Amino acid sequence: MVNQQVAGFIGLGAMGGALARRLAGAGVMLHVYDPDPARVEAMTALGAIGHGGAGAVADAAATVYACLPSAEASLEVARAAGAGKALRVYVETSTIGRGALRAIAQELQEGGVQVVDAPVSGGPRGADAGTLSIIASGCADALAAVRPQLALLGKNVFEVGAEPGMAQMMKLVNNLISAANMASAYEALVLGAKAGLDPDQMVEIINVSTGRNSATVDKIPKSVLTGTFDYGASIRTIHKDVSLGLKEAEALQVPMWVGQNVRQVWEFALTQGGADLDFTALIRYMEAWTGVEVRSRRGGAQA
């Protein structure tokens, strides 16, 4: 039986660290690993037990979560964790695409480890607040084992099937829409600012009108109007997710006319040195083209 008060966590970056903090704050004893010792130290200060590798974490915990930056890193870590003596359920929270997730599931299941595909949406702020949306797929027993901990991490937990990889697919559908919303909102607001419209008022009007979306409601007020550009995810990450979505579309022979153009917008920022900038900083490239800035004129942070 899986002990729901103990878990492992591998990958303590911006998103993984926030997820791990949320579990630790809820009383889950965590065994953690990250190649950056400072990240491990930050978690041990919260009561976690640090380890020197993914395999050591999986020797200590029956349930292990992973949150990693790429499919390659996820595959490498899953293989290392798969040899763990205690591991029974492996939860992949990264967005790595259906193919990579299926490869992880096949490899670990051969060793008797069940895999839960559980990408998350809502960013580090949502993880800290426990307001994430979590999309999960996996066999019934594995889902049942992690359901209480997923409920600690997210406000909305959706189970979309028994096959690992289906949750990845749903996450990519969401992220394709989110990336398009951001790109279109940014360029439209730059257009309005160039014409002399007030940025604050534009956002207010949009948010009670048909243009309302997660970018205008949340990201732009918090990180664009304020000029902080610190929402929590990078341009590199969004470009990666859009690219994964288009790869899945190609495999399924689904045309993605809008998606292809959206990818080009994010790729421009990537190639101009913006890979590690916050994804809200995409608007700065559009502002530079037109010589205007979409910033609050009212002073103080936006709600």
Side-chain angles (χ1 to χ4, degrees):
M1 180 178 293
V2 172
N3 184 345
Q4 296 170 353
Q5 297 305 309
V6 177
F9 212 106
I10 303 167
L12 302 171
M15 193 68 210
L19 290 168
R21 288 193 300 272
R22 181 71 186 177
L23 288 173
V28 177
M29 172 55 69
L30 286 183
H31 296 266
V32 301
Y33 168 68
D34 189 281
D36 184 341
R39 294 175 177 174
V40 175
E41 184 177 350
M43 285 306 305
T44 59
L46 298 177
I49 300 171
H51 293 272
V57 171
D59 281 338
T63 300
V64 172
Y65 293 80
C67 188
L68 300 157
S70 68
E72 293 76 18
S74 291
L75 285 163
E76 180 181 350
V77 166
R79 289 189 180 110
K85 298 173 183 177
L87 183 63
R88 296 294 177 268
V89 181
Y90 188 81
V91 186
E92 181 59 80
T93 68
S94 319
T95 302
I96 56 174
R98 188 168 54 159
L101 201 289
R102 284 175 168 174
I104 288 171
Q106 180 176 351
E107 189 162 331
L108 294 192
Q109 285 168 1
E110 289 174 357
V113 175
Q114 295 297 325
V115 172
V116 173
D117 175 16
V120 299
S121 180
R125 294 186 186 190
D128 279 321
T131 58
L132 294 174
S133 293
I134 301 174
I135 309 160
S137 62
C139 74
D141 288 346
L143 287 172
V146 300
R147 199 172 284 136
Q149 290 179 352
L150 294 182
L152 297 173
L153 293 172
K155 181 179 179 181
N156 301 295
V157 180
F158 301 94
E159 296 178 4
V160 296
E163 179 186 345
M166 293 303 291
Q168 290 291 318
M169 200 69 215
M170 184 63 240
K171 177 65 186 303
L172 293 176
V173 168
N174 176 81
N175 283 18
L176 283 165
I177 295 170
S178 179
N181 280 343
M182 280 189 277
S184 64
Y186 296 161
E187 69 177 10
L189 288 171
V190 168
L191 169 64
K194 184 70 172 181
L197 292 172
D198 177 77
D200 296 291
Q201 190 175 48
M202 280 196 289
V203 172
E204 287 176 356
I205 292 169
I206 290 164
N207 284 339
V208 293
S209 305
T210 57
R212 183 176 186 268
N213 61 65
S214 65
T216 66
V217 170
D218 195 24
K219 301 175 182 72
I220 290 166
K222 290 179 179 176
S223 296
V224 175
L225 292 180
T226 60
T228 56
F229 303 105
D230 60 352
Y231 194 82
S234 68
I235 287 172
R236 183 196 308 276
T237 297
I238 298 300
H239 178 267
K240 178 259 297 181
D241 291 353
V242 172
S243 298
L244 285 171
L246 294 179
K247 181 178 179 181
E248 296 289 354
E250 183 178 1
L252 294 169
Q253 298 184 329
V254 176
M256 299 292 286
W257 300 288
V258 174
Q260 294 285 357
N261 285 322
V262 169
R263 184 180 185 274
Q264 289 182 355
V265 174
W266 290 98
E267 189 158 288
F268 176 82
L270 194 77
T271 61
Q272 299 305 302
D276 296 320
L277 296 178
D278 190 86
F279 61 20
T280 55
L282 176 67
I283 197 173
R284 296 172 68 178
Y285 293 95
M286 301 169 181
E287 292 170 340
W289 301 336
T290 54
V292 298
E293 290 187 344
V294 180
R295 302 289 180 276
S296 176
R297 300 171 186 171
R298 296 178 182 174
Q302 298 294 305

